Amino acid sequence: MAKGIWVFVEQRDGKVRKVTYELLSEGRKIVDNFGGELAAVLVGSNVSDMAASFGEYGADKVYVVDRPELANYTTDGYSNVLAELIKKYEPAVVLLGCTLGGRDLSAMVAQKVNTGLLTDCTDMYLEDGNLVFVRPIYAGKALTKVCCLDTSPIMATIRPNVFAVSEPQAGRAAEVIKEDVPPGDIRQIIKEVVMQISTRPELTEANVVVSGGRGLKGPEGFALLEQLADVLGAAIGASRAAVDAGWIPHSLQVGQTGKTVSPVLYIACGISGAIQHLAGMSSSKCIVAINKDPEANIFKVADYGIVGDLFDVVPILTEELKKVLAS
Amino acid sequence: MKIVVCLKQVFDTEAKITLDASGQINKQGVTLIINPYDEYSVEEALRLKEKYKGEVTVITVGSDEAQSALRQALAMGADKAVLVNPGDIELDEYATSIILAKAISTLEYDLVFGGYMAIDDGSSQVAARVADLLGLPLVNTVTKLEVADGKAVATHDIDGGSEVVEVPLPAMITSQVGLNEPRYPSMKGIMQAKKKPMTKLSLADLGLDASQVKPKVKPLSYFLPSPRQAGRIIPGEPAEAVAELVKALREEAKVI
Ligand SMILES: Cc1cc2nc3c(=O)[nH]c(=O)nc-3n(C[C@H](O)[C@H](O)[C@H](O)COP(=O)(O)OP(=O)(O)OC[C@H]3O[C@@H](n4cnc5c(N)ncnc54)[C@H](O)[C@@H]3O)c2cc1C
Ligand SMILES: Cc1cc2nc3c(=O)[nH]c(=O)nc-3n(C[C@H](O)[C@H](O)[C@H](O)COP(=O)(O)OP(=O)(O)OC[C@H]3O[C@@H](n4cnc5c(N)ncnc54)[C@H](O)[C@@H]3O)c2cc1C
């Protein structure tokens, strides 16, 4: 790890995604054991003030590129900047969160710096002096251990929620290195940004996901789930059947052709448990299923199941949780 | 308008994954389909062709088996197919992209489509790499697309929302769930597909040799996840069952 590990800071309007801290925490452990330094790479506009704070999460250095053209994320702008920094400093390892943004940026940068990329990894560790990664393939139906072949840097995106965030060390400072890298020709012109105005956590990062399927019978069914999700601070997810029926936006679909989630708790309501749905959620730590069909496939993977009508069970569950969590 | 669609043949989403005696993914007896995201791309390309006239070419890097996926796209309405069969060599995303970009560079195009990811390896990087190699602006995870006056205006998913982006043509667009509802091939389409041109190329035909497509990543081993154990059905009337469930989540699973 002679030239160290870099973690790309994913932020929007100065708000940093949790996965960034997860990667800094894990990166810190690796450099502590095997030497080298840990750096955060912060790209954006008006972001310099927050740079030093990454020291508290383990970064030794923070490389900052702060320019007005970088106020919005664009594939061209951010990939040009990150690729230039990599060429200049030649880090051994570059890590990003496997979010939509991380996927977009990492692939473009990997090609620009002519290296390999391992996406959506769920583990990383040193083995015989080499950094190896584990990634699910076939939507989690198999896993593979992968490495990079003498190419530099080693680039990977890591799925949110697989590494824990270490306790920040108040006052620990990082050396801030300002770089003025021109973003080049930005061909993506952003016309409009629509953020979901939601107090809910992002589906792929949530600790708790409350998910609904065709059993909800309509969009009103999701209103029931919203109440349950409110109590748990959960994100809402859905099966494809609910999405196809138009009850909920496609961006909330969980599964092989939807999002992959790895929450601590996944509550599936009125979902049969088709293989394509399981592919997106079976790495959840604890699965609860509520379904009126005792033969439903979802019960084969659920840690706890209630056979019953969700329209009876969910409101009672919401009330019970409210009571218990208040106490 | 000339449109190229990158299309990958993948295992059916129902496929049960097993390992063979040498620890590799067992490909025997698995039904193969078009990567679902690529089906959205084919559909979108056909709609653009219906609007503006032109030509849709589907292209894949794969073995001869992948012809069936190309034929299906031709039956949906694509005009031409290109199969690049690299022979018996290991490819990674980097190598696949070099081959695809080289093959696409011999074609005329205003737009290139890729899938946001392939549901088998799930790397979500081939389209971006090809875009970079061809010098095309990229818009990923597109759910709505309008093309006019030499520009593409795309609505696409971003973390926590969506965004409308404009890029000049030619451009690379990757498809996301929600873009459209792919059509089924008609009987007539299936008959016509048999007569449509299918070009088969080798690496040598593209002027590439094995040293130019040396992979940069290597799978060391494959393994299957430990199967989830079915847990416990909590019996009783809803109120009773719920109380029991909440207790278990708190005291046993310790997740709330
Ligand atoms: C290429 C491809 C990709 C796909 N990708 C995905 C994907 O990413 N994600 C995904 O989810 N699916 C995906 N699917 C679809 C998948 O095969 C299933 O069709 C889908 O998951 C079914 O959704 P569901 O469980 O909500 O509906 P259903 O299978 O109809 O099940 C509804 C369930 O609700 C229960 N129910 C009904 N009423 C009640 C009630 N009042 N109380 C309690 N329970 C009730 C029923 O017993 C039943 O088990 C894909 C399919 C294909 C072919
Ligand atoms: C862990 C791992 C193990 C692997 N094992 C093997 C192996 O044993 N043998 C082997 O030969 N390769 C192997 N590969 C390589 C892999 O199959 C290819 O690199 C693959 O073509 C690209 O990855 P992807 O399909 O996930 O691309 P993604 O980037 O997810 O695909 C996105 C889009 O790119 C386009 N696209 C991708 N591939 C093609 C293609 N071939 N033709 C046309 N368009 C395409 C499609 O539009 C697709 O929707 C492995 C890769 C990994 C990461």
Side-chain angles (χ1 to χ4, degrees):
Chain A
M1 301 294 112
K3 286 175 180 163
I5 297 180
W6 278 18
V7 172
F8 177 77
V9 174
E10 225 185 292
Q11 58 86 26
R12 176 175 282 272
D13 299 330
K15 195 170 175 304
V16 178
R17 292 181 72 105
K18 186 166 135 252
V19 66
T20 298
Y21 299 120
E22 293 168 4
L23 299 186
L24 285 171
S25 302
E26 195 62 22
R28 185 73 249 163
K29 286 187 202 159
I30 295 179
V31 296
D32 279 348
N33 283 326
F34 296 92
E37 59 181 30
L38 179 69
V41 181
L42 176 61
V43 177
S45 172
N46 285 323
V47 289
S48 299
D49 287 352
M50 61 199 272
S53 69
F54 296 100
E56 300 191 351
Y57 287 90
D60 301 307
K61 286 183 178 157
V62 185
Y63 295 97
V64 188
V65 180
D66 194 334
R67 293 177 68 115
E69 308 96 308
L70 299 168
N72 280 313
Y73 173 85
T74 53
T75 309
D76 280 346
Y78 275 55
S79 66
N80 286 331
V81 166
L82 185 54
E84 285 312 309
L85 287 178
I86 290 171
K87 285 180 197 160
K88 177 166 174 188
Y89 288 99
E90 299 182 331
V93 179
V94 178
L95 303 175
L96 300 91
C98 196
T99 57
L100 288 179
R103 285 184 193 260
D104 185 86
L105 179 61
S106 61
M108 195 53 98
V109 170
Q111 188 58 40
K112 285 189 193 302
V113 302
N114 214 23
T115 196
L117 170 65
L118 303 162
T119 52
D120 198 25
C121 301
T122 52
D123 203 358
M124 107 184 131
Y125 49 92
L126 274 146
E127 191 176 74
D128 306 329
N130 295 313
L131 196 54
V132 298
F133 297 82
V134 173
R135 59 186 307 269
I137 50 176
Y138 301 99
K141 287 185 246 176
L143 296 149
T144 178
K145 186 164 88 181
V146 273
C147 71
C148 279
L149 296 164
D150 55 349
T151 130
S152 179
I154 295 171
M155 283 188 72
T157 70
I158 312 284
R159 189 180 287 186
N161 278 352
V162 301
F163 294 123
V165 179
S166 306
E167 198 55 43
Q169 284 176 270
R172 187 181 178 284
E175 180 191 350
V176 176
I177 300 151
K178 292 207 172 174
E179 287 287 331
D180 194 30
V181 184
D185 184 15
I186 300 177
R187 294 164 295 178
Q188 293 87 2
I189 303 164
I190 299 177
K191 297 284 187 182
E192 193 186 343
V193 181
V194 185
M195 298 309 282
Q196 273 144 21
I197 18 171
S198 167
T199 48
R200 300 199 184 288
E202 173 88 51
L203 181 57
T204 52
E205 282 190 351
N207 279 321
V208 182
V209 174
V210 174
S211 229
R214 207 195 312 262
L216 289 182
K217 307 273 193 300
E220 317 78 48
F222 275 94
L224 266 189
L225 293 199
E226 299 267 344
Q227 290 164 17
L228 176 57
D230 284 343
V231 176
L232 289 165
I236 298 273
S239 73
R240 170 145 161 199
V243 169
D244 284 352
W247 302 340
I248 188 123
H250 69 84
S251 56
L252 299 184
Q253 180 180 317
V254 171
Q256 188 157 16
T257 51
K259 299 227 157 97
T260 305
V261 297
S262 316
V264 173
L265 174 61
Y266 188 86
I267 306 182
C269 307
I271 292 178
S272 60
I275 191 163
Q276 298 92 348
H277 187 79
L278 300 186
M281 46 69 83
S282 49
S283 62
S284 306
K285 185 163 170 246
C286 177
I287 298 172
V288 171
I290 301 166
N291 194 304
K292 66 179 184 189
D293 172 11
E295 302 298 322
N297 210 34
I298 191 86
F299 288 124
K300 297 202 183 118
V301 301
D303 298 278
Y304 302 103
I306 293 183
V307 178
D309 188 327
L310 71 92
F311 292 95
D312 296 334
V313 176
V314 172
I316 299 175
L317 178 60
T318 305
E319 286 312 310
E320 180 74 14
L321 282 168
K322 227 187 253 172
K323 262 195 312 200
V324 170
L325 293 174
S327 67
Chain B
M1 183 166 310
K2 303 233 159 135
I3 304 172
V4 176
V5 178
C6 303
L7 181 154
K8 189 184 184 195
Q9 187 178 49
V10 296
F11 283 14
D12 182 13
T13 53
E14 298 278 346
K16 192 165 158 34
I17 305 295
T18 56
L19 301 181
D20 64 20
S22 59
Q24 304 294 308
I25 301 289
N26 197 343
K27 300 188 164 81
Q28 297 300 314
V30 175
T31 310
L32 299 169
I33 60 168
I34 298 180
N35 180 34
Y37 293 96
D38 297 340
E39 243 181 319
Y40 298 122
S41 295
V42 173
E43 176 63 37
E44 199 65 16
L46 294 176
R47 290 184 189 188
L48 285 166
K49 182 183 107 169
E50 280 151 13
K51 190 164 169 191
Y52 292 113
K53 305 267 180 303
E55 196 173 63
V56 176
T57 305
V58 286
I59 180 166
T60 197
V61 176
S63 65
D64 283 349
E65 246 184 330
Q67 282 180 78
S68 60
L70 293 172
R71 285 273 174 233
Q72 192 190 330
L74 293 174
M76 286 170 76
D79 302 285
K80 299 195 298 193
V82 178
L83 170 73
V84 187
N85 187 339
D88 213 8
I89 55 169
E90 284 278 318
L91 297 177
D92 68 352
E93 295 79 358
Y94 167 80
T96 304
S97 305
I98 299 273
I99 299 169
L100 268 176
K102 188 80 188 213
I104 294 169
S105 70
T106 66
L107 305 169
E108 278 179 70
Y109 54 84
D110 301 292
L111 267 178
V112 182
F113 279 99
Y116 140 62
M117 69 156 97
I119 60 162
D120 49 1
D121 297 305
S123 319
S124 57
Q125 48 174 301
V126 169
R129 286 180 181 274
V130 171
D132 189 61
L133 286 162
L134 295 173
L136 303 177
L138 168 74
V139 187
N140 262 321
T141 53
V142 171
T143 56
K144 188 171 169 226
L145 183 67
E146 278 157 34
V147 178
D149 310 325
K151 290 182 296 210
V153 178
T155 305
H156 75 136
D157 285 354
I158 56 174
D159 297 295
S162 65
E163 195 177 70
V164 182
V165 178
E166 180 186 297
V167 284
L169 298 186
M172 168 71 84
I173 299 291
T174 75
S175 307
Q176 166 70 313
V177 177
L179 180 60
N180 55 43
E181 197 56 58
R183 69 193 65 185
Y184 291 103
S186 64
M187 203 54 212
K188 189 167 152 231
I190 295 169
M191 298 310 291
Q192 282 173 343
K194 296 188 177 137
K195 295 190 218 95
K196 290 181 178 171
M198 165 102 58
T199 310
K200 291 193 206 173
L201 301 171
S202 65
L203 288 186
D205 293 331
L206 290 170
L208 290 171
D209 62 53
S211 71
Q212 288 163 285
V213 293
K214 273 223 304 272
K216 291 183 183 285
V217 303
K218 181 179 170 56
L220 301 167
S221 61
Y222 295 95
F223 50 105
L224 301 178
S226 38
R228 272 193 96 94
Q229 298 297 320
R232 150 163 97 85
I233 299 283
I234 303 178
E237 287 304 301
E240 261 176 86
V242 162
E244 176 70 24
L245 169 67
V246 171
K247 191 160 174 265
L249 291 177
R250 206 151 222 206
E251 290 165 14
E252 215 173 81
K254 300 192 168 64
V255 292
I256 54 170

